[in-house]
Structures are given as C-alpha cells and as structure tokens.
Amino acid sequence: MKEITIIGERLNSSRKAVARALEQRDHSFIQGEAQRQQENGAHYLDVNAGAFPEQEVELLSWLCEKVREVSLAPLCLDTTSPRAAEAALSRFPEKALLNGLTGEKPRLEAFVPLARSYGCGV
C-alpha cells in the first residue's frame, strides 16, 4: 500500500490570521503553525504569500525562513509568481515542491525550468 503524503496548508495568506502575521512579521505565530502541522503528521508545509502580490517575493522568502527555523519538513511553495518561487528556492532548495502550476503554456514555460534547475517536484 502506498503511503499518503500530507501537505499542511495552514500557512496560506488567504487566511486572515496568516495575512496579519505576515503584515506584522509575527514569527511566533508562523512558527507555531508550522510546528503544529508537523507534529500532526504533515510531510510538507505549504507556504503562501500570494495575498500580497507587490511584496510576495520578499514575504514568501521571509515565510520560508521562519518556517525553516523550526522545521526541517520540505516546503511546498504555493505561488503563481516565478520570481517569488525562485527567490525562495535560491535560499531553501532542499526537496521542495512547486504548487501553482497549471497546464497553461506561459505558466509551464516559467515554472518547469525552475523545477528542473532546483530538482523540485510539482
């Protein structure tokens, strides 16, 4: 029987509490969410800062950094921004997943080279 892969989805900026924590750079809240998800069986931690498109490059990297300080679970980068994905991957490339790909040609052309370059799953 194949094992199910669990991806913790609570670090998403569409959640009001996470958006507030990102705005205030509340690392305690972010790290608490990361730790609880890992303790409850998450194999990957999904991180998303897409509610802040003008700041997404910076915020996604900050979010990854704060999660990485308390967890070695692989990250699932939930972004439609190739720039934000590359900024985060350049700092945290280990066993990441790229979440946000669709079958649309422009998105594939932007993300597939990143996946190849950093050895990511999609």
Side-chain angles (χ1 to χ4, degrees):
M1 178 186 262
K2 186 173 173 131
E3 183 178 320
I4 294 173
T5 299
I6 300 170
I7 300 175
E9 294 275 349
R10 295 188 54 85
L11 290 169
N12 190 311
S13 62
S14 66
R15 292 183 58 223
K16 289 179 185 177
V18 174
R20 188 171 37 256
L22 287 170
E23 288 176 322
Q24 298 171 356
R25 303 298 194 277
D26 182 352
H27 69 276
S28 295
F29 177 86
I30 297 298
Q31 291 175 336
E33 286 290 318
Q35 288 174 314
R36 277 188 293 284
Q37 290 181 96
Q38 189 169 350
E39 289 166 2
N40 285 294
H43 300 113
Y44 285 83
L45 297 177
D46 187 86
V47 289
N48 175 299
F52 302 95
E54 301 298 318
Q55 299 172 284
E56 187 177 9
V57 172
E58 171 199 347
L59 286 175
L60 187 62
S61 289
W62 180 85
L63 184 55
C64 291
E65 176 184 317
K66 295 306 159 193
V67 169
R68 185 54 68 232
E69 288 175 0
V70 297
S71 172
L72 293 178
L75 300 173
C76 180
L77 305 176
D78 186 358
T79 181
T80 59
S81 167
R83 286 185 48 235
E86 185 159 31
L89 286 169
S90 69
R91 296 184 63 201
F92 308 99
E94 60 280 339
K95 199 179 174 186
L97 290 176
L98 288 175
N99 179 8
L101 259 66
T102 62
E104 299 163 325
K105 188 174 181 176
R107 192 154 309 166
L108 286 172
E109 289 173 344
F111 279 93
V112 169
L114 285 175
R116 281 188 186 129
S117 178
Y118 290 96
C120 298
V122 293

